[in-house]
Amino acid sequence: MRRQMVAGNWKMHGSRAANQALLAELEMSLKAEWPIDIVVFPPYVYLGDAVRMLEDGRIAVGAQDVCAESGGAFTGQVSAHMLKDVGCSFCLVGHSERRRWYHEEDALVARKFAAALEAGLTPVLCVGETLDEREAKQTEAVIARQLDAVIATHGVGGFARAILAYEPVWAIGTGRTASPEQAQAVHSFLRDRIHLQDAKIARHLRILYGGSVKAGNAAELFSMPDVDGGLVGGASLSAEEFQQICAAAAVRH
Ligand code: PEP
Protein backbone atom coordinates (compact mmCIF):
# COMPACT_ATOMS: atom_id res chain seq x y z
CA MET A 1 0.00 0.00 0.00
CA ARG A 2 1.24 3.48 -0.82
CA ARG A 3 1.79 5.81 2.13
CA GLN A 4 -0.58 8.78 2.08
CA MET A 5 0.82 12.29 1.83
CA VAL A 6 -0.67 15.67 2.70
CA ALA A 7 1.07 18.75 1.32
CA GLY A 8 0.24 22.36 2.16
CA ASN A 9 0.88 25.00 -0.52
CA TRP A 10 0.89 28.36 1.27
CA LYS A 11 1.26 30.31 -1.97
CA MET A 12 2.12 34.00 -1.42
CA HIS A 13 0.28 34.35 1.87
CA GLY A 14 1.16 35.49 5.36
CA SER A 15 4.03 37.36 6.92
CA ARG A 16 7.12 36.09 8.70
CA ALA A 17 5.35 36.27 12.07
CA ALA A 18 2.12 34.71 10.78
CA ASN A 19 3.94 31.86 9.08
CA GLN A 20 6.08 31.16 12.15
CA ALA A 21 2.91 31.03 14.24
CA LEU A 22 1.33 28.63 11.74
CA LEU A 23 4.41 26.38 11.82
CA ALA A 24 4.41 26.36 15.62
CA GLU A 25 0.73 25.40 15.68
CA LEU A 26 1.30 22.65 13.13
CA GLU A 27 4.21 21.23 15.09
CA MET A 28 2.00 20.92 18.14
CA SER A 29 -1.09 19.55 16.45
CA LEU A 30 0.20 16.96 13.96
CA LYS A 31 0.56 13.58 15.61
CA ALA A 32 3.94 11.91 15.29
CA GLU A 33 2.37 8.44 15.12
CA TRP A 34 0.23 9.16 12.05
CA PRO A 35 1.58 6.91 9.27
CA ILE A 36 1.55 9.63 6.62
CA ASP A 37 4.02 12.06 5.09
CA ILE A 38 3.41 15.77 5.62
CA VAL A 39 5.06 18.60 3.67
CA VAL A 40 4.62 22.36 3.78
CA PHE A 41 5.48 24.72 0.93
CA PRO A 42 6.00 28.24 2.37
CA PRO A 43 7.10 31.22 0.25
CA TYR A 44 10.83 31.15 -0.62
CA VAL A 45 11.87 33.79 1.91
CA TYR A 46 10.43 31.82 4.83
CA LEU A 47 11.95 28.45 3.89
CA GLY A 48 14.90 28.92 6.25
CA ASP A 49 12.57 29.62 9.18
CA ALA A 50 10.50 26.57 8.32
CA VAL A 51 13.51 24.26 8.10
CA ARG A 52 14.83 25.52 11.46
CA MET A 53 11.48 25.23 13.21
CA LEU A 54 10.71 21.77 11.80
CA GLU A 55 14.11 20.24 12.32
CA ASP A 56 12.78 17.14 14.08
CA GLY A 57 11.75 16.01 10.59
CA ARG A 58 8.07 15.17 11.24
CA ILE A 59 7.05 17.79 8.70
CA ALA A 60 9.16 18.16 5.55
CA VAL A 61 9.69 21.47 3.76
CA GLY A 62 9.40 22.19 0.07
CA ALA A 63 9.56 25.15 -2.32
CA GLN A 64 6.70 26.28 -4.53
CA ASP A 65 8.87 26.53 -7.63
CA VAL A 66 12.45 26.01 -8.79
CA CYS A 67 14.68 27.34 -11.55
CA ALA A 68 15.45 24.96 -14.40
CA GLU A 69 19.05 26.24 -14.55
CA SER A 70 21.66 25.05 -12.09
CA GLY A 71 23.23 28.46 -11.48
CA GLY A 72 24.54 31.64 -13.07
CA ALA A 73 23.17 34.95 -14.31
CA PHE A 74 19.44 34.36 -13.78
CA THR A 75 18.35 37.31 -11.63
CA GLY A 76 15.54 36.54 -9.26
CA GLN A 77 15.74 32.77 -9.63
CA VAL A 78 16.53 30.07 -7.07
CA SER A 79 18.22 26.83 -8.09
CA ALA A 80 17.37 23.32 -6.95
CA HIS A 81 20.81 23.00 -5.33
CA MET A 82 20.15 26.15 -3.28
CA LEU A 83 16.83 24.74 -2.09
CA LYS A 84 18.54 21.50 -1.11
CA ASP A 85 21.29 23.49 0.57
CA VAL A 86 18.83 25.28 2.89
CA GLY A 87 17.15 22.02 3.88
CA CYS A 88 14.25 21.60 1.46
CA SER A 89 13.40 18.11 0.31
CA PHE A 90 10.53 18.78 -2.12
CA CYS A 91 9.52 21.32 -4.75
CA LEU A 92 6.40 21.90 -6.79
CA VAL A 93 6.82 22.02 -10.55
CA GLY A 94 4.20 23.03 -13.08
CA HIS A 95 1.63 24.38 -10.62
CA SER A 96 -1.26 25.77 -12.70
CA GLU A 97 -0.64 29.28 -11.33
CA ARG A 98 2.92 29.10 -12.71
CA ARG A 99 1.65 27.76 -16.02
CA ARG A 100 -1.05 30.43 -16.24
CA TRP A 101 0.51 33.63 -14.85
CA TYR A 102 4.15 33.00 -15.77
CA HIS A 103 3.50 31.18 -19.04
CA GLU A 104 5.43 28.08 -18.06
CA GLU A 105 5.12 25.56 -20.81
CA ASP A 106 5.45 21.79 -20.68
CA ALA A 107 9.06 21.82 -21.89
CA LEU A 108 10.16 24.21 -19.14
CA VAL A 109 8.25 22.23 -16.52
CA ALA A 110 10.05 19.09 -17.70
CA ARG A 111 13.42 20.84 -17.26
CA LYS A 112 12.47 21.97 -13.74
CA PHE A 113 11.46 18.39 -12.92
CA ALA A 114 14.89 17.19 -14.02
CA ALA A 115 16.71 19.97 -12.14
CA ALA A 116 14.93 19.00 -8.93
CA LEU A 117 15.78 15.32 -9.30
CA GLU A 118 19.38 16.08 -10.15
CA ALA A 119 19.77 18.10 -6.93
CA GLY A 120 18.21 15.36 -4.82
CA LEU A 121 14.84 17.05 -4.32
CA THR A 122 11.55 15.24 -4.82
CA PRO A 123 9.56 17.07 -7.50
CA VAL A 124 5.79 17.23 -7.19
CA LEU A 125 4.61 17.50 -10.80
CA CYS A 126 1.24 19.25 -11.03
CA VAL A 127 -1.06 18.54 -13.96
CA GLY A 128 -4.66 19.53 -14.60
CA GLU A 129 -7.17 20.84 -17.08
CA THR A 130 -9.13 24.11 -17.21
CA LEU A 131 -12.92 24.20 -17.09
CA ASP A 132 -13.13 24.86 -20.84
CA GLU A 133 -10.91 21.87 -21.50
CA ARG A 134 -13.04 19.63 -19.26
CA GLU A 135 -16.23 20.80 -20.89
CA ALA A 136 -14.69 20.12 -24.31
CA LYS A 137 -13.90 16.58 -23.05
CA GLN A 138 -10.17 17.21 -23.37
CA THR A 139 -9.22 16.35 -19.78
CA GLU A 140 -7.32 13.19 -20.66
CA ALA A 141 -5.63 14.75 -23.70
CA VAL A 142 -4.40 17.72 -21.64
CA ILE A 143 -3.04 15.79 -18.68
CA ALA A 144 -1.51 13.17 -20.99
CA ARG A 145 0.30 15.97 -22.83
CA GLN A 146 1.56 17.48 -19.55
CA LEU A 147 2.74 14.11 -18.27
CA ASP A 148 4.20 12.92 -21.56
CA ALA A 149 6.35 16.06 -21.85
CA VAL A 150 8.22 14.97 -18.73
CA ILE A 151 8.42 11.31 -19.73
CA ALA A 152 9.57 12.19 -23.25
CA THR A 153 12.38 14.37 -21.97
CA HIS A 154 13.66 12.23 -19.12
CA GLY A 155 12.04 8.81 -19.36
CA VAL A 156 9.63 7.32 -16.89
CA GLY A 157 12.42 6.50 -14.40
CA GLY A 158 12.23 9.88 -12.67
CA PHE A 159 8.79 9.00 -11.37
CA ALA A 160 10.38 6.46 -9.05
CA ARG A 161 11.56 9.53 -7.06
CA ALA A 162 8.71 11.95 -7.72
CA ILE A 163 5.12 12.68 -6.76
CA LEU A 164 2.31 13.48 -9.19
CA ALA A 165 -0.52 15.86 -8.30
CA TYR A 166 -3.78 16.08 -10.24
CA GLU A 167 -5.08 19.59 -9.79
CA PRO A 168 -8.03 20.51 -11.99
CA VAL A 169 -7.61 24.24 -12.57
CA TRP A 170 -11.35 24.82 -12.13
CA ALA A 171 -11.16 23.46 -8.59
CA ILE A 172 -8.15 25.47 -7.34
CA GLY A 173 -9.13 28.22 -4.94
CA THR A 174 -12.71 28.15 -6.24
CA GLY A 175 -14.41 26.14 -3.52
CA ARG A 176 -15.50 23.76 -6.30
CA THR A 177 -14.03 20.30 -5.75
CA ALA A 178 -13.82 17.39 -8.16
CA SER A 179 -16.10 14.63 -6.97
CA PRO A 180 -14.27 11.59 -5.59
CA GLU A 181 -15.32 9.70 -8.74
CA GLN A 182 -13.97 12.43 -11.05
CA ALA A 183 -10.68 12.48 -9.15
CA GLN A 184 -10.44 8.68 -9.18
CA ALA A 185 -11.07 8.52 -12.93
CA VAL A 186 -8.21 10.91 -13.69
CA HIS A 187 -5.82 9.37 -11.14
CA SER A 188 -6.44 5.95 -12.57
CA PHE A 189 -5.86 7.31 -16.10
CA LEU A 190 -2.53 8.79 -14.97
CA ARG A 191 -1.43 5.59 -13.24
CA ASP A 192 -2.36 3.50 -16.27
CA ARG A 193 -0.32 5.79 -18.50
CA ILE A 194 2.76 5.32 -16.31
CA HIS A 195 2.00 1.59 -16.12
CA LEU A 196 2.33 1.34 -19.90
CA GLN A 197 6.01 2.16 -19.43
CA ASP A 198 6.81 0.68 -16.02
CA ALA A 199 4.42 -1.35 -13.89
CA LYS A 200 6.48 -1.13 -10.70
CA ILE A 201 6.86 2.64 -10.83
CA ALA A 202 3.13 2.98 -11.51
CA ARG A 203 2.25 0.82 -8.51
CA HIS A 204 4.40 2.84 -6.11
CA LEU A 205 3.78 6.33 -7.51
CA ARG A 206 1.83 8.60 -5.20
CA ILE A 207 -0.79 10.70 -6.95
CA LEU A 208 -2.20 13.54 -4.84
CA TYR A 209 -5.45 15.33 -5.51
CA GLY A 210 -5.53 19.13 -5.23
CA GLY A 211 -8.38 21.59 -5.67
CA SER A 212 -10.38 22.94 -2.73
CA VAL A 213 -9.56 20.01 -0.43
CA LYS A 214 -11.03 20.79 2.98
CA ALA A 215 -11.64 19.03 6.28
CA GLY A 216 -15.19 18.34 5.11
CA ASN A 217 -14.34 16.55 1.84
CA ALA A 218 -10.88 15.06 2.50
CA ALA A 219 -12.03 11.67 3.81
CA GLU A 220 -14.16 10.83 0.79
CA LEU A 221 -11.52 11.97 -1.67
CA PHE A 222 -8.80 10.00 0.14
CA SER A 223 -11.00 6.89 0.20
CA MET A 224 -10.55 6.48 -3.56
CA PRO A 225 -8.07 3.71 -4.43
CA ASP A 226 -5.80 5.86 -6.62
CA VAL A 227 -5.93 9.03 -4.49
CA ASP A 228 -2.84 8.92 -2.27
CA GLY A 229 -3.42 12.14 -0.36
CA GLY A 230 -3.87 15.81 -1.08
CA LEU A 231 -2.13 18.98 -2.20
CA VAL A 232 -3.94 21.60 -0.16
CA GLY A 233 -3.90 25.35 -0.77
CA GLY A 234 -6.30 27.58 1.16
CA ALA A 235 -7.14 25.05 3.85
CA SER A 236 -3.45 24.58 4.70
CA LEU A 237 -3.36 28.14 6.10
CA SER A 238 -5.39 27.04 9.10
CA ALA A 239 -3.48 24.67 11.39
CA GLU A 240 -6.75 23.27 12.70
CA GLU A 241 -8.17 22.48 9.27
CA PHE A 242 -4.87 21.12 7.94
CA GLN A 243 -4.64 18.89 10.99
CA GLN A 244 -8.13 17.52 10.27
CA ILE A 245 -7.14 16.81 6.66
CA CYS A 246 -4.04 14.97 7.87
CA ALA A 247 -6.20 12.99 10.30
CA ALA A 248 -8.43 11.94 7.36
CA ALA A 249 -5.35 10.75 5.44
CA ALA A 250 -4.06 8.86 8.47
CA VAL A 251 -7.26 6.82 8.64
CA ARG A 252 -6.67 5.46 5.12
CA HIS A 253 -3.08 4.33 5.10
C1 PEP B 1 -3.22 24.63 -4.69
O1 PEP B 1 -2.81 25.77 -4.52
O2 PEP B 1 -2.46 23.79 -5.17
C2 PEP B 1 -4.59 24.31 -4.31
C3 PEP B 1 -5.03 23.10 -4.53
O3 PEP B 1 -5.34 25.32 -3.75
P1 PEP B 1 -6.79 25.19 -3.03
O4 PEP B 1 -6.72 24.01 -2.09
O5 PEP B 1 -6.99 26.47 -2.32
O6 PEP B 1 -7.79 24.94 -4.11
Side-chain angles (χ1 to χ4, degrees), residues 2-250:
R2 295 174 296 272
R3 191 174 155 95
Q4 293 262 305
M5 170 177 275
V6 180
N9 174 14
W10 295 2
K11 312 195 188 196
M12 198 171 72
H13 289 302
S15 60
R16 187 173 192 189
N19 287 342
Q20 284 179 344
L22 180 54
L23 286 165
E25 267 192 85
L26 286 177
E27 274 252 270
M28 281 193 310
S29 62
L30 298 176
K31 301 214 173 17
E33 65 273 17
W34 282 342
I36 61 170
D37 293 321
I38 303 168
V39 194
V40 291
F41 293 86
Y44 275 140
V45 289
Y46 305 132
L47 288 172
D49 284 346
V51 168
R52 271 189 300 282
M53 289 182 69
L54 302 175
E55 68 190 353
D56 75 358
R58 174 68 190 100
I59 306 172
V61 178
Q64 298 171 16
D65 187 27
V66 63
C67 182
E69 311 297 333
S70 58
F74 298 100
T75 302
Q77 297 283 39
V78 179
S79 77
H81 285 283
M82 291 170 181
L83 294 174
K84 183 78 182 167
D85 193 27
V86 297
C88 289
S89 33
F90 292 83
C91 69
L92 301 180
V93 296
H95 190 280
S96 64
E97 287 153 17
R98 302 290 319 169
R99 293 182 192 260
R100 177 169 183 198
W101 302 118
Y102 302 97
H103 312 292
E104 292 193 3
E105 297 192 338
D106 294 335
L108 177 63
V109 173
R111 290 180 55 229
K112 290 185 174 203
F113 183 92
L117 281 178
E118 197 270 321
L121 296 172
T122 301
V124 180
L125 173 67
C126 304
V127 298
E129 82 288 3
T130 62
L131 188 57
D132 285 351
E133 289 164 341
R134 173 162 280 264
E135 285 174 350
K137 306 212 178 313
Q138 288 172 352
T139 299
E140 292 187 352
V142 170
I143 61 171
R145 190 202 73 222
Q146 293 171 339
L147 179 64
D148 291 354
V150 175
I151 298 176
T153 322
H154 308 290
V156 77
F159 284 94
R161 291 190 289 126
I163 310 277
L164 198 49
Y166 169 54
E167 296 211 305
V169 180
W170 48 272
I172 297 180
T174 59
R176 190 174 163 185
T177 317
S179 68
E181 294 73 25
Q182 284 173 321
Q184 169 59 27
V186 176
H187 284 225
S188 147
F189 173 80
L190 286 165
R191 196 178 306 285
D192 286 350
R193 205 159 179 90
I194 300 270
H195 185 273
L196 290 175
Q197 316 236 359
D198 191 308
K200 185 166 175 215
I201 290 178
R203 202 166 48 249
H204 291 291
L205 178 66
R206 289 188 285 185
I207 309 178
L208 312 183
Y209 168 78
S212 298
V213 175
K214 305 213 172 341
N217 59 24
E220 55 174 1
L221 284 161
F222 299 166
S223 71
M224 294 288 117
D226 287 296
V227 176
D228 305 310
L231 177 52
V232 185
S236 70
L237 298 171
S238 153
E240 195 185 340
E241 184 143 18
F242 193 67
Q243 189 254 4
Q244 289 171 22
I245 294 168
C246 290

